[in-house]
PDB file of all heavy atoms in Angstrom:
ATOM      1  N   GLY D  37     113.461 104.657 110.831  1.00 87.00           N
ATOM      2  CA  GLY D  37     112.533 104.138 109.841  1.00 87.00           C
ATOM      3  C   GLY D  37     113.007 104.227 108.408  1.00 87.00           C
ATOM      4  O   GLY D  37     112.223 104.027 107.483  1.00 87.00           O
ATOM      5  N   THR D  39     115.418 103.033 105.152  1.00 78.00           N
ATOM      6  CA  THR D  39     116.058 101.865 104.573  1.00 78.00           C
ATOM      7  C   THR D  39     116.956 102.344 103.447  1.00 78.00           C
ATOM      8  O   THR D  39     116.508 103.081 102.570  1.00 78.00           O
ATOM      9  CB  THR D  39     115.010 100.893 103.996  1.00 78.00           C
ATOM     10  OG1 THR D  39     114.110 100.517 105.019  1.00 78.00           O
ATOM     11  CG2 THR D  39     115.675  99.671 103.412  1.00 78.00           C
ATOM     12  N   GLU D  51     112.742  96.783  92.098  1.00 88.00           N
ATOM     13  CA  GLU D  51     112.406  95.718  93.047  1.00 88.00           C
ATOM     14  C   GLU D  51     112.121  96.295  94.431  1.00 88.00           C
ATOM     15  O   GLU D  51     111.203  95.855  95.122  1.00 88.00           O
ATOM     16  CB  GLU D  51     113.518  94.672  93.122  1.00 88.00           C
ATOM     17  CG  GLU D  51     113.225  93.542  94.072  1.00 88.00           C
ATOM     18  CD  GLU D  51     111.900  92.833  93.807  1.00 88.00           C
ATOM     19  OE1 GLU D  51     111.509  92.678  92.646  1.00 88.00           O
ATOM     20  OE2 GLU D  51     111.244  92.435  94.797  1.00 88.00           O
ATOM     21  N   PHE D  52     112.898  97.300  94.849  1.00 85.00           N
ATOM     22  CA  PHE D  52     112.667  97.928  96.145  1.00 85.00           C
ATOM     23  C   PHE D  52     111.281  98.576  96.182  1.00 85.00           C
ATOM     24  O   PHE D  52     110.524  98.401  97.144  1.00 85.00           O
ATOM     25  CB  PHE D  52     113.742  98.978  96.442  1.00 85.00           C
ATOM     26  CG  PHE D  52     113.457  99.766  97.685  1.00 85.00           C
ATOM     27  CD1 PHE D  52     113.660  99.206  98.936  1.00 85.00           C
ATOM     28  CD2 PHE D  52     112.980 101.059  97.609  1.00 85.00           C
ATOM     29  CE1 PHE D  52     113.382  99.916 100.089  1.00 85.00           C
ATOM     30  CE2 PHE D  52     112.710 101.782  98.752  1.00 85.00           C
ATOM     31  CZ  PHE D  52     112.912 101.210 100.002  1.00 85.00           C
ATOM     32  N   VAL D  53     110.919  99.321  95.138  1.00 87.00           N
ATOM     33  CA  VAL D  53     109.610  99.968  95.089  1.00 87.00           C
ATOM     34  C   VAL D  53     108.505  98.927  95.132  1.00 87.00           C
ATOM     35  O   VAL D  53     107.512  99.081  95.852  1.00 87.00           O
ATOM     36  CB  VAL D  53     109.484 100.872  93.841  1.00 87.00           C
ATOM     37  CG1 VAL D  53     108.062 101.364  93.653  1.00 87.00           C
ATOM     38  CG2 VAL D  53     110.439 102.049  93.957  1.00 87.00           C
ATOM     39  N   ARG D  54     108.662  97.853  94.388  1.00 90.00           N
ATOM     40  CA  ARG D  54     107.656  96.788  94.399  1.00 90.00           C
ATOM     41  C   ARG D  54     107.517  96.168  95.779  1.00 90.00           C
ATOM     42  O   ARG D  54     106.405  95.879  96.229  1.00 90.00           O
ATOM     43  CB  ARG D  54     108.006  95.719  93.368  1.00 90.00           C
ATOM     44  CG  ARG D  54     107.717  96.159  91.965  1.00 90.00           C
ATOM     45  CD  ARG D  54     107.943  95.047  90.967  1.00 90.00           C
ATOM     46  NE  ARG D  54     107.597  95.531  89.634  1.00 90.00           N
ATOM     47  CZ  ARG D  54     108.235  95.213  88.538  1.00 90.00           C
ATOM     48  NH1 ARG D  54     109.244  94.365  88.578  1.00 90.00           N
ATOM     49  NH2 ARG D  54     107.869  95.711  87.387  1.00 90.00           N
ATOM     50  N   SER D  55     108.614  95.948  96.468  1.00 88.00           N
ATOM     51  CA  SER D  55     108.543  95.356  97.805  1.00 88.00           C
ATOM     52  C   SER D  55     107.858  96.314  98.780  1.00 88.00           C
ATOM     53  O   SER D  55     107.119  95.884  99.665  1.00 88.00           O
ATOM     54  CB  SER D  55     109.935  94.982  98.312  1.00 88.00           C
ATOM     55  OG  SER D  55     110.691  96.133  98.665  1.00 88.00           O
ATOM     56  N   GLN D  56     108.088  97.606  98.627  1.00 88.00           N
ATOM     57  CA  GLN D  56     107.458  98.588  99.501  1.00 88.00           C
ATOM     58  C   GLN D  56     105.964  98.713  99.222  1.00 88.00           C
ATOM     59  O   GLN D  56     105.179  98.976 100.134  1.00 88.00           O
ATOM     60  CB  GLN D  56     108.145  99.947  99.347  1.00 88.00           C
ATOM     61  CG  GLN D  56     109.538  99.974  99.901  1.00 88.00           C
ATOM     62  CD  GLN D  56     109.562  99.645 101.382  1.00 88.00           C
ATOM     63  OE1 GLN D  56     109.031 100.381 102.194  1.00 88.00           O
ATOM     64  NE2 GLN D  56     110.164  98.522 101.731  1.00 88.00           N
ATOM     65  N   ASP D  57     105.555  98.517  97.994  1.00 90.00           N
ATOM     66  CA  ASP D  57     104.135  98.564  97.651  1.00 90.00           C
ATOM     67  C   ASP D  57     103.364  97.542  98.476  1.00 90.00           C
ATOM     68  O   ASP D  57     102.316  97.857  99.037  1.00 90.00           O
ATOM     69  CB  ASP D  57     103.938  98.308  96.153  1.00 90.00           C
ATOM     70  CG  ASP D  57     102.473  98.342  95.767  1.00 90.00           C
ATOM     71  OD1 ASP D  57     101.839  99.407  95.922  1.00 90.00           O
ATOM     72  OD2 ASP D  57     101.955  97.296  95.334  1.00 90.00           O
ATOM     73  N   ARG D  58     103.904  96.348  98.592  1.00 88.00           N
ATOM     74  CA  ARG D  58     103.239  95.302  99.385  1.00 88.00           C
ATOM     75  C   ARG D  58     103.130  95.712 100.848  1.00 88.00           C
ATOM     76  O   ARG D  58     102.101  95.527 101.483  1.00 88.00           O
ATOM     77  CB  ARG D  58     103.985  93.982  99.244  1.00 88.00           C
ATOM     78  CG  ARG D  58     103.863  93.351  97.868  1.00 88.00           C
ATOM     79  CD  ARG D  58     104.498  91.969  97.816  1.00 88.00           C
ATOM     80  NE  ARG D  58     105.953  92.004  97.922  1.00 88.00           N
ATOM     81  CZ  ARG D  58     106.788  92.057  96.897  1.00 88.00           C
ATOM     82  NH1 ARG D  58     106.313  92.095  95.666  1.00 88.00           N
ATOM     83  NH2 ARG D  58     108.096  92.065  97.079  1.00 88.00           N
ATOM     84  N   VAL D  59     104.203  96.263 101.386  1.00 88.00           N
ATOM     85  CA  VAL D  59     104.227  96.672 102.792  1.00 88.00           C
ATOM     86  C   VAL D  59     103.193  97.761 103.058  1.00 88.00           C
ATOM     87  O   VAL D  59     102.378  97.659 103.975  1.00 88.00           O
ATOM     88  CB  VAL D  59     105.636  97.178 103.192  1.00 88.00           C
ATOM     89  CG1 VAL D  59     105.618  97.811 104.567  1.00 88.00           C
ATOM     90  CG2 VAL D  59     106.654  96.045 103.135  1.00 88.00           C
ATOM     91  N   TRP D  60     103.223  98.823 102.257  1.00 90.00           N
ATOM     92  CA  TRP D  60     102.322  99.953 102.492  1.00 90.00           C
ATOM     93  C   TRP D  60     100.870  99.609 102.197  1.00 90.00           C
ATOM     94  O   TRP D  60      99.963 100.104 102.858  1.00 90.00           O
ATOM     95  CB  TRP D  60     102.788 101.170 101.696  1.00 90.00           C
ATOM     96  CG  TRP D  60     104.037 101.718 102.311  1.00 90.00           C
ATOM     97  CD1 TRP D  60     105.308 101.548 101.872  1.00 90.00           C
ATOM     98  CD2 TRP D  60     104.129 102.474 103.522  1.00 90.00           C
ATOM     99  NE1 TRP D  60     106.195 102.163 102.733  1.00 90.00           N
ATOM    100  CE2 TRP D  60     105.493 102.743 103.746  1.00 90.00           C
ATOM    101  CE3 TRP D  60     103.193 102.954 104.425  1.00 90.00           C
ATOM    102  CZ2 TRP D  60     105.932 103.465 104.852  1.00 90.00           C
ATOM    103  CZ3 TRP D  60     103.637 103.684 105.522  1.00 90.00           C
ATOM    104  CH2 TRP D  60     104.988 103.924 105.725  1.00 90.00           C
ATOM    105  N   ARG D  61     100.637  98.743 101.217  1.00 92.00           N
ATOM    106  CA  ARG D  61      99.258  98.325 100.916  1.00 92.00           C
ATOM    107  C   ARG D  61      98.646  97.648 102.147  1.00 92.00           C
ATOM    108  O   ARG D  61      97.512  97.946 102.541  1.00 92.00           O
ATOM    109  CB  ARG D  61      99.234  97.369  99.718  1.00 92.00           C
ATOM    110  CG  ARG D  61      97.843  96.950  99.294  1.00 92.00           C
ATOM    111  CD  ARG D  61      97.886  95.976  98.117  1.00 92.00           C
ATOM    112  NE  ARG D  61      98.706  96.464  97.033  1.00 92.00           N
ATOM    113  CZ  ARG D  61      98.271  97.270  96.057  1.00 92.00           C
ATOM    114  NH1 ARG D  61      97.022  97.655  96.050  1.00 92.00           N
ATOM    115  NH2 ARG D  61      99.084  97.670  95.103  1.00 92.00           N
ATOM    116  N   GLU D  62      99.397  96.776 102.777  1.00 92.00           N
ATOM    117  CA  GLU D  62      98.903  96.080 103.965  1.00 92.00           C
ATOM    118  C   GLU D  62      98.661  97.060 105.117  1.00 92.00           C
ATOM    119  O   GLU D  62      97.645  96.980 105.804  1.00 92.00           O
ATOM    120  CB  GLU D  62      99.894  95.003 104.399  1.00 92.00           C
ATOM    121  CG  GLU D  62      99.407  94.186 105.576  1.00 92.00           C
ATOM    122  CD  GLU D  62     100.366  93.064 105.941  1.00 92.00           C
ATOM    123  OE1 GLU D  62     101.135  92.616 105.083  1.00 92.00           O
ATOM    124  OE2 GLU D  62     100.331  92.651 107.110  1.00 92.00           O
ATOM    125  N   LEU D  63      99.559  97.998 105.315  1.00 92.00           N
ATOM    126  CA  LEU D  63      99.391  98.974 106.392  1.00 92.00           C
ATOM    127  C   LEU D  63      98.173  99.862 106.170  1.00 92.00           C
ATOM    128  O   LEU D  63      97.439 100.179 107.114  1.00 92.00           O
ATOM    129  CB  LEU D  63     100.647  99.838 106.537  1.00 92.00           C
ATOM    130  CG  LEU D  63     101.867  99.115 107.098  1.00 92.00           C
ATOM    131  CD1 LEU D  63     103.085 100.018 107.038  1.00 92.00           C
ATOM    132  CD2 LEU D  63     101.615  98.662 108.525  1.00 92.00           C
ATOM    133  N   VAL D  64      97.937 100.258 104.930  1.00 93.00           N
ATOM    134  CA  VAL D  64      96.755 101.076 104.628  1.00 93.00           C
ATOM    135  C   VAL D  64      95.492 100.273 104.882  1.00 93.00           C
ATOM    136  O   VAL D  64      94.523 100.777 105.466  1.00 93.00           O
ATOM    137  CB  VAL D  64      96.812 101.611 103.181  1.00 93.00           C
ATOM    138  CG1 VAL D  64      95.482 102.218 102.764  1.00 93.00           C
ATOM    139  CG2 VAL D  64      97.936 102.626 103.039  1.00 93.00           C
ATOM    140  N   GLU D  65      95.474  99.013 104.473  1.00 93.00           N
ATOM    141  CA  GLU D  65      94.299  98.176 104.701  1.00 93.00           C
ATOM    142  C   GLU D  65      94.034  97.986 106.182  1.00 93.00           C
ATOM    143  O   GLU D  65      92.892  98.082 106.639  1.00 93.00           O
ATOM    144  CB  GLU D  65      94.473  96.825 104.011  1.00 93.00           C
ATOM    145  CG  GLU D  65      94.373  96.920 102.503  1.00 93.00           C
ATOM    146  CD  GLU D  65      94.673  95.603 101.807  1.00 93.00           C
ATOM    147  OE1 GLU D  65      94.921  94.581 102.490  1.00 93.00           O
ATOM    148  OE2 GLU D  65      94.680  95.595 100.562  1.00 93.00           O
ATOM    149  N   ILE D  66      95.075  97.729 106.954  1.00 94.00           N
ATOM    150  CA  ILE D  66      94.924  97.532 108.402  1.00 94.00           C
ATOM    151  C   ILE D  66      94.412  98.804 109.074  1.00 94.00           C
ATOM    152  O   ILE D  66      93.530  98.760 109.937  1.00 94.00           O
ATOM    153  CB  ILE D  66      96.251  97.079 109.033  1.00 94.00           C
ATOM    154  CG1 ILE D  66      96.593  95.655 108.590  1.00 94.00           C
ATOM    155  CG2 ILE D  66      96.207  97.170 110.555  1.00 94.00           C
ATOM    156  CD1 ILE D  66      97.997  95.221 108.944  1.00 94.00           C
ATOM    157  N   SER D  67      94.949  99.947 108.679  1.00 95.00           N
ATOM    158  CA  SER D  67      94.591 101.209 109.327  1.00 95.00           C
ATOM    159  C   SER D  67      93.283 101.795 108.796  1.00 95.00           C
ATOM    160  O   SER D  67      92.721 102.703 109.394  1.00 95.00           O
ATOM    161  CB  SER D  67      95.705 102.245 109.123  1.00 95.00           C
ATOM    162  OG  SER D  67      95.750 102.658 107.779  1.00 95.00           O
TER     163      SER D  67
END
Side-chain angles (χ1 to χ4, degrees):
T39 302
E51 181 54 36
F52 173 76
V53 170
R54 285 185 178 143
S55 73
Q56 291 300 295
D57 180 63
R58 290 186 291 268
V59 171
W60 288 102
R61 183 181 309 273
E62 183 176 336
L63 290 173
V64 169
E65 288 175 2
I66 291 169
S67 70

